Amino acid sequence: MLRNSLSLRTVIVAALLSVLWTVAPANAFYLPGVAPTDYEENDPVPLLVNRLTPSMDPDDQQLRSVISYDLALEPAGLALRGHAWKVVDNYHPAFHFCRPQNGPEKQAESLGSILFGDRIFNSPFDLRMLKNESCKTLCTQTYDPRAAKFVNRRIRQDYALNWLIDGLPAARVKYDEVTDTKFYSVGFELGTIEADKEPYLSNHYDIIIEYHETRAGKYRVVGVVVLPSSHRTALDNSGVVTNCEVNDKLALNRDTNTQVTFTYSVAWTPSPTAWATRWDKYLHVFDPKIHWFSLINSSIIVIFLTGMVAMILVRTLHKDIARYNQLDLNEDVQEDAGWKLVHGDVFRAPKNSLILSLFLGSGAQLFVMTGFTIVFALLGFLSPSSRGSLATVMIVLYTLFGFIGGYVSARAYKAFGGDKWRVNVIATPLLVPGIVFLTFFFLNFFLIASESSGAVPLGTMLALIAIWFVISVPLSAAGSYFGFKMPAIEAPVRTNQIPRQIPEQPMYLRWVPSMLLAGILPFGAIFVELYFIMNSIWFHKVYYMFGFLFLCYVIMVITCATVTTLMVYFLLCSENYHWQWRSFFTAGACSIFVFLHAILFWVSKLALGGFVSNVLYLGYSLLISFVVFVLTGSIGFVTSYVFVRKIYGSIKID
Ligand SMILES: *[C@@H]1O[C@H](CO)[C@@H](O)[C@H](O)[C@H]1NC(C)=O
């Protein structure tokens, strides 16, 4: 019987691993932009348009909005939005960009890419390898006052267009004074605000494409720069613009209709950049010295503190254990204080042990998922060129690791002596993911209401739910099955019938002070990377510093573990045996600082106008903090559990 279940388990684990190896890296490889495309002269090079994103204001370096708009609406989105005037046109009507002849076509994207808001469509631009163009007329559009107001507002909010040519984002060239280098910043402006405070819409695009010749007659795209500009151009008799260099700028009139003709020029320039390194100029590190310095700084502090904690702990513990075991020999000398006193209560099941076990299951699942994702990224599977691969891999891994979630949750619940095992099995894959999903779903309504493309289409939402119920829930249930079949983890000491009285606790061991004291240390390990991640999320910058991230993650885990262990030790020393939830919250307190950091970022870097942007920002920040809470809390609990078992297992009790 035992052998049977063991071999079945091995099979399942092996199957899981093989699925993981085939799905995750293959997925990363399949995504566009990973394999080079060779073009011959005059081959069409498609230009794809992605959503419009808010970008940093060049003057005050702040962000004005967090809502993005796509150029075309999808049927699912249409049905939900239900604005009659939107059904008329397929590209976001207010922007009035030129549409491809047969209407915009949606391009295939990965799940992660869709969830993170990419909406990619084809475009009417006709680019051919090595064929320079100057002043080509695209189309003429009429902006009514309503559209003019809408677009002008978006220009004032520094919205940027995002185009893709051969998988490379169109960029602006920027200059970094600190490192004295030029770099590419993804996206280019919708329009500009001039000295007269008027918004001018850019209706001419100078597209500069860098190519690299690999073999004779074979060319690859290695860089794309777009210089947008605004001109009050006029159509001649044959309906085209012949002069794109008009000095007069074009502003949309808020009172009457404005005619706008869009034009573009293309210049192909040879470049020595090889295809493999074409992303390098996009991945610019601002002031690398400061980055390194602060990283090393925080790492040293954290490692130092952790080392101290570990040393103190080991030395005092040795002394304690030696003393306790000696005292037992001299019989009737009863020790008057110390953690030994609570040996009869320390393994008493915590209150709400069901919820704790659910959190632990999800925490373990998150822990394994983040670890694997970072390692995959570190190995280069998730290059920035494969859009959305990071999010896709995270979702795939989290789904597959449902097994681990169920297993850990079941084992923890059994160890707590819980008897509502059915509830445990059902709720493990539902509680934490449910909270995350419902928040996401709720915030999505705000996006829908603001006509943003960031709104995840209903179809994708349903697909997510389907993936969840078809793959993750069964895996989690299987994990629970194995978890409950294992013998319960036995406590090394017996629990007394009657709970012991807990004496008055010192100030620093109360809930809030102890959480704040302990939570700041793991936060110290991650805050530099957190800042860069926040920048990448809200300013739509490419994040790729996975080496740093890996180091930070490891340091954070170690810090969570040691700090919580220390706190639990102090708690037990002051005869408080309610350590289970406390350890979870002590380590989880890191999330409080993550949220405070988000608030600080909000105050210093964002100047969000509008209710929706603010609600979205705070909502997503809360969501991230909650996930960090479950993750770090579980790390704290598990290490404390191991610690408590170890120390009570090493003393003699009569
Ligand atoms: C296209 O324009 C660029 C920049 O003006 C120039 O360097 C290049 O030689 C031109 N290519 C052709 C084929 O004319």
Side-chain angles (χ1 to χ4, degrees):
M1 184 61 208
L2 185 70
R3 185 169 293 169
N4 244 341
S5 80
L6 263 181
S7 66
L8 188 58
R9 197 163 74 219
T10 330
V11 168
I12 289 189
V13 169
L16 259 177
L17 280 180
S18 61
V19 166
L20 208 103
W21 276 112
T22 47
V23 172
N27 207 328
F29 277 127
Y30 265 135
L31 294 160
V34 175
T37 318
D38 285 316
Y39 295 95
E40 287 176 15
E41 195 169 341
N42 244 357
D43 276 354
V45 181
L47 189 160
L48 302 176
V49 291
N50 201 344
R51 59 184 173 156
L52 276 92
T53 51
S55 70
M56 198 196 281
D57 187 274
D59 297 326
D60 60 12
Q61 311 277 307
Q62 290 193 320
L63 195 70
R64 301 254 185 282
S65 171
V66 298
I67 297 168
S68 55
Y69 294 96
D70 59 357
L71 300 179
L73 295 175
E74 298 157 47
L78 273 178
L80 268 176
R81 280 160 226 209
H83 293 280
W85 61 280
K86 294 198 159 294
V87 186
V88 180
D89 200 336
N90 221 6
Y91 259 37
H92 196 291
F95 283 111
H96 287 296
F97 289 120
C98 301
R99 306 165 32 140
Q101 212 144 44
N102 303 322
E105 265 170 46
K106 189 145 184 24
Q107 309 293 308
E109 287 173 68
S110 65
L111 182 63
S113 182
I114 295 176
L115 282 181
F116 270 62
D118 282 333
R119 301 285 180 273
I120 305 175
F121 295 89
N122 59 345
S123 74
F125 293 87
D126 182 25
L127 306 183
R128 297 194 173 257
M129 184 49 90
L130 295 194
K131 192 158 169 245
N132 283 356
E133 306 270 11
S134 85
C135 199
K136 269 194 95 171
T137 306
L138 211 53
C139 76
T140 301
Q141 298 279 29
T142 309
Y143 287 76
D144 58 20
R146 177 181 178 167
K149 276 182 210 147
F150 177 83
V151 173
N152 284 344
R153 211 172 308 134
R154 300 291 93 80
I155 295 175
R156 287 190 194 283
Q157 290 174 330
D158 308 289
Y159 270 82
L161 271 71
N162 293 286
W163 289 357
L164 294 163
I165 296 180
D166 190 46
L168 266 191
R172 285 172 269 203
V173 179
K174 291 205 172 159
Y175 180 73
D176 183 358
E177 283 164 17
V178 180
T179 48
D180 188 25
T181 43
K182 271 199 278 186
F183 66 96
Y184 287 14
S185 161
V186 172
F188 57 91
E189 57 272 22
L190 169 69
T192 51
I193 307 281
E194 297 297 321
D196 57 4
K197 302 269 185 246
E198 268 298 299
Y200 293 103
L201 176 68
S202 302
N203 62 333
H204 176 79
Y205 310 109
D206 278 309
I207 306 169
I208 301 158
I209 306 177
E210 293 163 27
Y211 65 89
H212 182 77
E213 185 166 8
T214 46
R215 283 166 286 141
K218 300 278 185 202
Y219 306 94
R220 288 174 179 176
V221 176
V222 295
V224 180
V225 173
V226 175
L227 307 172
S229 50
S230 177
H231 307 279
R232 195 176 282 282
T233 42
L235 295 171
D236 68 3
N237 294 337
S238 50
V240 294
V241 175
T242 43
N243 180 15
C244 285
E245 305 296 309
V246 184
N247 270 334
D248 218 6
K249 284 185 189 295
L250 173 91
L252 298 179
N253 196 318
R254 267 155 286 194
D255 304 317
T256 60
N257 287 355
T258 316
Q259 298 271 335
V260 177
T261 305
F262 287 92
T263 53
Y264 67 99
S265 302
V266 186
W268 294 86
T269 60
S271 161
T273 309
W275 187 87
T277 57
R278 65 180 191 161
W279 272 90
D280 289 1
K281 42 191 184 292
Y282 290 89
L283 308 179
H284 178 73
V285 182
F286 290 93
D287 211 352
K289 263 192 234 138
I290 285 182
H291 187 83
W292 270 108
F293 181 75
S294 54
L295 180 79
I296 291 171
N297 202 23
S298 68
S299 310
I300 287 177
I301 292 176
V302 165
I303 290 172
F304 182 71
L305 277 172
T306 309
M308 290 252 299
V309 165
M311 226 169 68
I312 293 171
L313 217 53
V314 168
R315 291 186 60 175
T316 1
L317 270 180
H318 260 290
K319 256 192 238 155
D320 286 352
I321 291 170
R323 189 163 56 93
Y324 288 155
N325 287 346
Q326 202 150 23
L327 278 171
D328 272 341
L329 293 177
N330 318 345
E331 296 156 26
D332 39 49
V333 185
Q334 185 67 22
E335 68 275 27
D336 52 353
W339 48 267
K340 192 188 172 185
L341 288 181
V342 289
H343 66 81
D345 296 280
V346 76
F347 291 102
R348 196 181 296 287
K351 271 188 212 147
N352 302 319
S353 58
L354 178 65
I355 297 178
L356 183 57
S357 67
L358 299 180
F359 274 175
L360 287 173
S362 294
Q365 201 174 342
L366 276 172
F367 178 70
V368 184
M369 181 272 279
T370 37
F372 269 77
T373 307
I374 295 174
V375 170
F376 274 151
L378 202 62
L379 297 178
F381 286 133
L382 313 175
S383 83
S385 56
S386 43
R387 225 167 317 94
S389 60
L390 181 66
T392 310
V393 165
M394 281 168 80
I395 292 166
V396 168
L397 287 180
Y398 189 75
T399 310
L400 292 182
F401 287 135
F403 183 84
I404 290 177
Y407 181 78
V408 171
S409 172
R411 291 218 69 179
Y413 193 52
K414 199 165 177 183
F416 294 148
D419 49 6
K420 290 185 227 136
W421 61 271
R422 260 176 243 265
V423 183
N424 175 280
V425 172
I426 295 169
T428 301
L430 294 185
L431 180 73
V432 171
I435 292 174
V436 171
F437 185 79
L438 285 181
T439 316
F440 193 66
F441 194 70
F442 173 72
L443 291 175
N444 205 37
F445 275 111
F446 283 93
L447 284 169
I448 293 168
S450 63
E451 295 160 11
S452 162
S453 73
V456 175
L458 201 61
T460 311
M461 280 284 188
L462 292 179
L464 266 185
I465 296 176
I467 289 176
W468 197 249
F469 278 100
V470 173
I471 303 174
S472 200
V473 170
L475 278 176
S476 171
S480 299
Y481 172 76
F482 285 113
F484 277 119
K485 269 192 79 169
M486 298 288 284
I489 305 170
E490 291 288 340
V493 286
R494 235 178 329 158
T495 301
N496 292 344
Q497 286 288 320
I498 301 152
R500 208 167 180 279
Q501 195 85 25
I502 296 174
E504 180 78 8
Q505 296 292 297
M507 183 65 194
Y508 72 98
L509 283 182
R510 302 243 171 93
W511 276 86
V512 175
S514 73
M515 280 168 68
L516 293 182
L517 274 175
I520 197 150
L521 292 181
F523 174 72
I526 53 168
F527 88 93
V528 178
E529 278 323 286
L530 193 64
Y531 176 78
F532 282 92
I533 291 173
M534 299 271 279
N535 253 315
S536 114
I537 293 177
W538 300 109
F539 289 97
H540 304 280
K541 291 197 176 131
V542 190
Y543 184 84
Y544 63 97
M545 289 169 272
F546 292 107
F548 285 133
L549 188 64
F550 178 71
L551 285 178
C552 288
Y553 188 68
V554 171
I555 294 173
M556 185 202 73
V557 171
I558 296 172
T559 325
C560 269
T562 44
V563 162
T564 316
T565 310
L566 190 69
M567 202 48 95
V568 166
Y569 174 74
F570 286 146
L571 207 65
L572 295 175
C573 281
S574 71
E575 297 163 40
N576 184 346
Y577 50 84
H578 292 314
W579 59 274
Q580 291 98 333
W581 273 110
R582 184 64 83 86
S583 64
F584 198 97
F585 272 87
T586 303
C590 178
S591 64
I592 299 175
F593 292 96
V594 169
F595 189 70
L596 288 180
H597 180 261
I599 300 283
L600 198 68
F601 193 82
W602 191 36
V603 173
S604 63
K605 304 282 278 182
L606 311 176
L608 303 178
F611 175 69
V612 173
S613 277
N614 286 310
V615 167
L616 286 172
Y617 180 80
L618 289 180
Y620 286 127
S621 299
L622 271 176
L623 203 57
I624 292 170
S625 306
F626 175 67
V627 171
V628 171
F629 170 71
V630 174
L631 173 67
T632 51
S634 302
I635 296 170
F637 176 85
V638 170
T639 43
S640 303
Y641 191 72
V642 172
F643 170 74
V644 170
R645 277 183 64 85
K646 206 139 193 100
I647 63 171
Y648 284 94
S650 61
I651 54 169
K652 287 191 220 124
I653 288 156
D654 6 86

